[in-house]
Amino acid sequence: MEISSKENTHFFSKNTILPVDRSSFKSESSASKERQSCCGGIKIFVGALSFVYFAKALAGSYLKSTITQIERRFDIPSSLVGIIDGSFEIGNLLIIILVSYFGAKLHRPRIIGAGCLIMSAGTFLIAMPQFFMGRYRYERFQSAINSTVSISPCLPDKSQTPLSALEKSQGKINAGCVQTVAIIGPIFGFLLGSLCAKLYVDIGFVDLESITITHKDVQWVGAWWLGYLIAGVISILAGIPFWFLPKHLAKPEGRKDSNTSSEQSKFITEDNKEQHKSYQQQVKIAEMAKDFLPSLKNLFGNPVYLLYLCASIIQFNSLIGMVTYKPKYIEQQYGQTSSKTNFVIGLINIPAVAFGIFSGGLIMKKFRINVLGAAKLSLGSSFFGYLLLLSLFAMGCENSDVAGLTVSYHGTKKTTDYEQALFSECNSGCLCSKNDWDPICGENGVTYISACLAGCQASNSTGENTIFFNCSCVGTLNSSSQSSSAVVGPCQKGNDCPKMFLYFLVISVITSYTLSVGGTPGYILLLRCIKPHLKSFALGIYTLAIRVLAGIPAPVYFGVAIDTTCLKWGSKRCGGRGACRLYDSSSLRYMYLGLTLVLGTVSIFFSVAVLWVLRKSSSPADETLSANGERGACGTKSRRENFVSSDHLIQTTYWPERETRL
């Protein structure tokens, strides 16, 4: 029956004059304020946590960017630098399990704030050796100032000795959002490394006009310590907001009845003081500790979790070792400067990783991929990523021609003992040291370890503009020409090397992207193969295992392997072997890429095992999308119940918001 417009008007007018309960407005207003306060608190927490991730990622990536600088500054081999890099993770051993297990029951914001202070103290400590170990001394032949012809580099007797450039200037010393930000951190870390690499190591302490080398010189050391001070200050600033956050955030009204993970509900809870007090009385440290071993046994009894953990450990060994020594590899293989190397990695490689992680998450969400599909995607990205890595073996540069090391003084390829071959008839009249490393480039395109070993009799100008004349060894190699001059610095790599470097960058970017695509699916697989109440603990064990079994040892044994490819070792001023001055390019390429590829291949086998276990525990119908849009992992309800009862839980329903919400 239709209602007339008059009746409608009368009906609505009657309702508009009804008495209004003002208390309802007050309750609605207070609820609105509560929701705004809650959302504001969560936004502050997420923003502060993102800044912490940024600070941590910046400090960690900056350490990678200073590897070669630290080697040259303190004259130490790659194996020792690897120990220094690995020790960056050692602090996590002491508290990571305790924090992951007890952290959910304690005041988490303040724990994060305390962690920021500890992290800042650590970065400050890394920079301290610069201020206690004196100024950097590099080897450089000193010609007479304002003179066209100077003393002879070829020393005929012991009374004529070269001076250190620093000795000359010593008197002038002056008294989700979260994960995205975590990816931005390494970009700024490497860019900061690029900037600091252009600044001289003792900037502010010496007269820079007295420095006779530039950032393109093989002996140059940048202001590596400056970035650590900056990272330490950023860590302090990142930790400040957490000291003012409450232990628990109020849960939004609209989500009080929604399903949330156990870890989330422990942090975002209703602000009820009485319930909070009773909860504190019931939960005791001893009771929590009692469940520790059973929880650990439960985790390692899950075959999917255990196999994925093994695959991740081996793969991270491969990736951490590769990333740690990537700057060194680019510098030594393609003859690039530290500044340019860090700039390229920060501006090209790291964004490719970020885009890969984002693409993996987008694929998971777009196609609503189940746990089995996530395992396939993770395996596929690893397989094709390491397959692309194979092509980098063909994109290297040949050894530079270095007299006495890679070629003889007569131009033939070297096969004899390197140390003995540094001396020849052409420099027999000179009193030279085999430990010197002040390379010069002859007009014949051959690099000589020093002007003395090149047999140079005279030089003019100063610093980087120095030109050496009458070099007897240069004349020996270039018999068709009477020219026997040389300039400061090593000769450039072959003509094909710049092209190879460009190819390397392109393939490296594609490889980084491909490997990163599997990051998000792998993380989802990890979350969905364990029980909800064990997620926090499982992630803590996972992080601990990665840091202990990959983050610490990988830089060490990668460094040891790289040291085996060294052709010319430096010598410390106090005696003993110093840093490597020159590597065999071919051996370095096969060692660096080969070790990365072997570890990656082993990790793929474990990933195949993960996929096999998942396939075994699922039915063919689970691999197709069901009518209601959900994907399963374990088949029928009874099958899932059996899986749950055997403590091998695989969550069957995919809630994107459940794994991305805080």
Side-chain angles (χ1 to χ4, degrees):
M1 180 179 178
E2 292 184 67
I3 301 176
S4 65
S5 60
K6 185 177 180 180
E7 289 174 338
N8 272 328
T9 305
H10 179 69
F11 176 78
F12 285 113
S13 64
K14 282 181 66 178
N15 282 281
T16 56
I17 60 175
L18 287 175
V20 178
D21 186 2
R22 297 183 180 273
S23 63
S24 64
F25 281 110
K26 292 182 180 179
S27 61
E28 289 178 5
S29 177
S30 61
S32 176
K33 290 181 179 178
E34 182 181 353
R35 284 194 296 269
Q36 291 177 359
S37 175
C38 172
C39 293
I42 294 176
K43 288 179 180 178
I44 292 173
F45 177 79
V46 172
L49 189 63
S50 299
F51 194 29
V52 170
Y53 268 70
F54 171 82
K56 181 181 182 297
L58 184 144
S61 59
Y62 183 77
L63 176 64
K64 306 291 185 187
S65 73
T66 58
I67 289 295
T68 55
Q69 308 286 313
I70 293 175
E71 277 189 29
R72 285 196 289 266
R73 173 62 180 88
F74 301 105
D75 232 350
I76 54 180
S78 297
S79 55
L80 185 54
V81 174
I83 294 176
I84 295 173
D85 184 83
S87 65
F88 194 74
E89 305 287 353
I90 291 178
N92 293 282
L93 298 179
L94 304 175
I95 58 173
I96 192 169
I97 291 185
L98 297 177
V99 170
S100 65
Y101 189 71
F102 297 110
K105 287 87 176 176
L106 303 176
H107 199 303
R108 286 198 278 190
R110 290 183 182 174
I111 291 177
I112 297 173
C116 290
L117 292 179
I118 296 173
M119 185 167 64
S120 65
T123 52
F124 287 141
L125 283 175
I126 295 176
M128 287 301 104
Q130 170 66 20
F131 305 100
F132 298 111
M133 297 191 66
R135 306 281 75 85
Y136 172 58
R137 296 153 118 24
Y138 56 87
E139 300 170 2
R140 179 51 49 92
F141 177 80
Q142 293 296 297
S143 57
I145 305 296
N146 299 325
S147 175
T148 56
V149 179
S150 74
I151 56 178
S152 170
C154 177
L155 302 175
D157 55 56
K158 296 183 180 180
S159 62
Q160 191 179 355
T161 57
L163 301 175
S164 167
L166 259 293
E167 289 175 347
K168 176 187 171 186
S169 61
Q170 194 68 22
K172 298 183 179 180
I173 297 177
N174 300 324
C177 179
V178 174
Q179 296 295 338
T180 302
V181 175
I183 290 296
I184 296 175
I187 296 176
F188 281 88
F190 278 101
L191 292 181
L192 179 62
S194 176
L195 175 63
C196 293
K198 285 187 176 181
L199 304 175
Y200 186 65
V201 61
D202 292 323
I203 184 172
F205 298 96
V206 298
D207 182 8
L208 295 181
E209 293 182 0
S210 65
I211 305 303
T212 59
I213 58 176
T214 67
H215 72 279
K216 296 181 179 180
D217 197 282
V218 291
Q219 298 187 74
W220 176 270
V221 174
W224 61 274
W225 50 273
L226 184 59
Y228 290 110
L229 299 183
I230 295 174
V233 172
I234 292 176
S235 297
I236 292 177
L237 295 176
I240 291 176
F242 290 95
W243 295 99
F244 301 97
L245 288 174
K247 181 176 181 180
H248 300 283
L249 294 179
K251 190 175 182 180
E253 290 289 333
R255 293 167 101 184
K256 283 185 177 179
D257 297 328
S258 63
N259 294 327
T260 56
S261 65
S262 58
E263 182 181 1
Q264 179 184 351
S265 61
K266 289 174 184 175
F267 181 61
I268 305 177
T269 58
E270 297 184 44
D271 190 13
N272 192 319
K273 294 183 179 180
E274 293 182 0
Q275 292 181 1
H276 179 62
K277 290 179 180 178
S278 62
Y279 175 79
Q280 289 286 2
Q281 292 172 356
Q282 292 175 3
V283 178
K284 304 294 182 183
I285 299 295
E287 294 178 0
M288 290 189 291
K290 219 184 270 187
D291 294 332
F292 180 82
L293 288 179
S295 299
L296 192 64
K297 182 179 179 181
N298 197 324
L299 280 180
F300 287 109
N302 186 331
V304 176
Y305 178 81
L306 184 61
L307 288 171
Y308 182 76
L309 181 63
C310 293
S312 298
I313 289 172
I314 298 174
Q315 185 175 35
F316 272 99
N317 269 273
S318 169
L319 298 178
I320 290 174
M322 180 176 67
V323 171
T324 300
Y325 293 99
K326 193 167 193 175
K328 172 186 278 291
Y329 179 76
I330 293 176
E331 289 179 37
Q332 294 292 333
Q333 187 71 210
Y334 302 102
Q336 303 297 321
T337 64
S338 296
S339 178
K340 184 176 180 179
T341 298
N342 291 328
F343 183 80
V344 166
I345 293 176
L347 208 61
I348 299 179
N349 276 92
I350 304 300
V353 173
F355 187 56
I357 294 174
F358 175 78
S359 300
L362 189 64
I363 293 172
M364 290 290 295
K365 183 178 180 180
K366 178 75 174 177
F367 299 100
R368 296 180 59 83
I369 296 177
N370 67 346
V371 66
L372 192 61
K376 291 178 180 178
L377 184 57
S378 179
L379 173 61
S381 72
S382 297
F383 176 77
F384 287 108
Y386 287 109
L387 195 63
L388 284 169
L389 197 66
L390 272 173
S391 62
L392 294 181
F393 282 96
M395 298 174 189
C397 298
E398 295 298 324
N399 283 321
S400 299
D401 289 339
V402 182
L405 292 179
T406 60
V407 295
S408 70
Y409 282 89
H410 299 285
T412 58
K413 294 296 180 182
K414 283 288 304 122
T415 55
T416 58
D417 181 65
Y418 291 122
E419 295 292 339
Q420 297 298 326
L422 292 177
F423 301 100
S424 180
E425 294 179 359
C426 61
N427 57 30
S428 59
C430 304
L431 188 63
C432 306
S433 171
K434 67 180 181 181
N435 296 324
D436 289 341
W437 179 252
D438 187 11
I440 63 171
C441 179
E443 286 194 358
N444 54 5
V446 176
T447 299
Y448 297 87
I449 290 177
S450 67
C452 182
L453 286 171
C456 299
Q457 304 296 322
S459 66
N460 68 358
S461 189
T462 59
E464 59 181 299
N465 298 318
T466 301
I467 299 178
F468 300 94
F469 298 101
N470 301 325
C471 302
S472 56
C473 294
V474 177
T476 301
L477 269 175
N478 197 9
S479 57
S480 61
S481 172
Q482 298 300 318
S483 176
S484 59
S485 62
V487 295
V488 172
C491 299
Q492 295 296 320
K493 292 264 189 177
N495 295 330
D496 292 336
C497 203
K499 191 187 343 181
M500 287 296 178
F501 179 54
L502 182 61
Y503 293 157
F504 170 82
L505 289 181
V506 172
I507 298 299
S508 178
V509 168
I510 298 175
T511 302
S512 299
Y513 171 79
T514 306
L515 289 172
S516 302
V517 168
T520 301
Y523 187 73
I524 297 299
L525 171 64
L526 176 68
L527 287 176
R528 295 175 63 192
C529 73
I530 51 180
K531 291 183 177 180
H533 70 278
L534 292 176
K535 282 186 178 181
S536 177
F537 186 48
L539 289 175
I541 294 294
Y542 179 83
T543 305
L544 174 67
I546 296 298
R547 293 181 184 277
V548 175
L549 301 178
I552 295 175
V556 178
Y557 65 77
F558 262 81
V560 172
I562 288 174
D563 280 343
T564 62
T565 67
C566 183
L567 293 179
K568 175 72 172 76
W569 288 100
S571 298
K572 295 181 179 178
R573 295 183 181 274
C574 56
R577 193 173 75 175
C580 183
R581 307 301 192 191
L582 181 70
Y583 291 89
D584 185 317
S585 294
S586 299
S587 299
L588 176 63
R589 181 168 67 254
Y590 288 114
M591 185 64 70
Y592 172 76
L593 296 177
L595 192 54
T596 301
L597 192 62
V598 167
L599 290 170
T601 303
V602 174
S603 72
I604 288 176
F605 283 111
F606 278 98
S607 297
V608 171
V610 170
L611 186 61
W612 180 79
V613 171
L614 288 174
R615 277 186 175 277
K616 189 177 179 182
S617 61
S618 63
S619 63
D622 296 325
E623 300 182 24
T624 59
L625 187 64
S626 61
N628 60 4
E630 294 183 352
R631 291 181 181 267
C634 301
T636 62
K637 180 178 179 181
S638 60
R639 191 169 189 133
R640 287 199 299 267
E641 290 173 351
N642 291 335
F643 224 174
V644 170
S645 64
S646 63
D647 288 339
H648 295 170
L649 178 66
I650 297 179
Q651 296 180 37
T652 57
T653 307
Y654 177 42
W655 301 282
E657 72 280 359
R658 181 167 182 173
E659 284 149 356
T660 55
R661 272 193 313 217
L662 187 62

